[in-house]
């Protein structure tokens, strides 16, 4: 997958993170138990965890394992969330998180659409997919609004440490070309 440093949309830009984004990401979403409830990691206790995450993100970008962009609203410098693309067999898997101060405005739909359009324009990708917890209705709605179709339920698929010590079922959605 070709991963540009920046992808611009009508209301937001996706850009490669820089180390100085750590404090903003920590405040916006990484420290929020409400946001990370359905993610596979716990809320960051302090900004050093967010800095370590960004260092790992830089390493994964260089290796091609995962590309992470921060979400930056038009007219703002500070990021309010992040979206990732992990290349896999015939396509790309997405993951995303957004700060609650801007929930409900359709911004994550915009970000998911930008990344999935970009990924599907690459001839090596035939599908873009994402999994989300069966109870994460807002994330499911993001995928549906971005044109993703439900493929099925993955039983005992993902561990969400803020909900359960055991793996939980997940819904898988995709866009294909």
């Amino acid at each position: 997958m070709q991963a540009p440093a920046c992808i611009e949309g009508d209301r937001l830009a996706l850009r490669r993170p820089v180390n100085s984004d750590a404090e903003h990401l920590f405040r916006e979403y990484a420290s929020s138990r409400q946001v990370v409830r359905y993610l596979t990691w716990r809320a960051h206790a302090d900004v050093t965890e967010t800095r370590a995450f960004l260092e790992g993100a830089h390493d994964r970008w260089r290796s091609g394992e995962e590309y992470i962009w921060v979400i930056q609203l038009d007219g703002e410098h500070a990021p309010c969330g992040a979206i990732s693309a992990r290349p896999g067999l015939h396509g790309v898997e997405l993951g995303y998180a957004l700060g609650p101060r801007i929930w409900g405005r359709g911004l994550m739909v915009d970000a998911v659409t930008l990344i999935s359009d970009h990924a599907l324009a690459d001839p090596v990708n035939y599908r873009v997919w994402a999994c989300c917890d069966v109870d994460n209705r807002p994330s499911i709605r993001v995928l549906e609004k971005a044109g993703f179709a439900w493929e099925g339920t993955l039983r005992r698929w993902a561990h969400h440490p803020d909900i359960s010590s055991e793996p939980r079922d997940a819904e898988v959605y995709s866009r294909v070309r």
Side-chain angles (χ1 to χ4, degrees), residues 113-156:
T113 301
L114 280 171
I115 292 293
S116 58
D117 286 350
H118 177 78
L120 290 172
D122 188 327
V124 303
N125 295 321
Y126 293 89
R127 59 182 281 116
V128 177
W129 71 96
C131 298
C132 51
D133 189 272
V134 294
D135 291 335
N136 190 351
R137 294 299 313 156
S139 189
I140 288 170
R141 288 296 299 143
V142 163
L143 296 170
E144 291 170 346
K145 288 179 179 181
F148 283 59
W150 180 74
E151 290 189 336
T153 302
L154 300 171
R155 309 254 336 251
R156 310 284 269 173

Side-chain angles (χ1 to χ4, degrees), residues 6-76:
C6 186
I7 303 172
E8 303 234 358
D10 292 335
R11 301 188 302 159
L12 54 82
L14 308 176
R15 64 169 174 79
R16 192 169 174 181
V18 294
N19 292 339
S20 60
D21 290 328
E23 302 223 359
H24 296 290
L25 295 175
F26 177 76
R27 268 195 319 274
E28 285 286 342
Y29 78 89
S31 62
S32 170
R33 293 192 70 203
Q34 181 183 18
V35 173
V36 305
R37 176 178 182 178
Y38 292 114
L39 300 182
T40 58
W41 46 274
R42 292 191 184 278
H44 294 175
D46 61 59
V47 73
T48 59
E49 290 181 76
T50 310
R51 285 189 191 106
F53 163 77
L54 287 178
E55 289 173 19
H58 297 314
D59 293 341
R60 290 187 302 280
W61 185 292
R62 282 190 293 276
S63 73
E65 175 187 346
E66 179 180 41
Y67 303 102
I68 295 175
W69 294 267
V70 294
I71 300 167
Q72 185 174 309
L73 301 180
D74 282 351
E76 293 187 18

Side-chain angles (χ1 to χ4, degrees), residues 76-88:
E76 293 187 18
H77 174 70
C80 57
I83 187 166
S84 69
R86 290 176 293 282

